Amino acid sequence: MTLDLNDSLQTFVDSESSQRGFVSGNDFVLDLLQKERDRAHVRGLIKEGESLPATQINVASYIASQRDRFNASKDH
């Protein structure tokens, strides 16, 4: 893929990539795209979670069950 940046964007990419320790502007742009992909994934998970029915848990019981599970795994 080839991107044609205007002077202002090219200056921004060059400056940011240098300040953030990237070897090149390409690496900086790639990092931005990967972070956006990760954010989109998290947004999808949140939306999926919002569509699930609400449940209530007893926090003390949950913590006790996790403690029991942890202790049981240490014994093996």
Side-chain angles (χ1 to χ4, degrees):
M1 174 186 285
T2 301
L3 297 174
D4 292 320
L5 303 176
N6 63 31
D7 290 342
S8 175
L9 281 175
Q10 185 65 55
T11 299
F12 172 77
V13 167
D14 292 343
S15 174
E16 289 296 308
S17 63
S18 175
Q19 288 178 15
R20 297 180 189 204
F22 288 95
V23 174
S24 69
N26 289 341
D27 291 339
F28 171 67
V29 171
L30 179 61
D31 184 65
L32 289 176
L33 291 171
Q34 290 168 334
K35 286 178 181 175
E36 182 56 32
R37 180 196 58 205
D38 293 345
R39 281 191 288 272
H41 178 71
V42 169
R43 283 191 299 269
L45 292 174
I46 290 169
K47 189 171 186 170
E48 180 183 322
E50 289 173 339
S51 68
L52 297 175
T55 58
Q56 292 183 356
I57 62 168
N58 180 303
V59 175
S61 295
Y62 176 77
I63 291 172
S65 72
Q66 294 302 304
R67 185 179 303 116
D68 292 344
R69 189 171 141 214
F70 175 76
N71 289 332
S73 71
K74 287 192 326 184
D75 295 339
H76 292 102

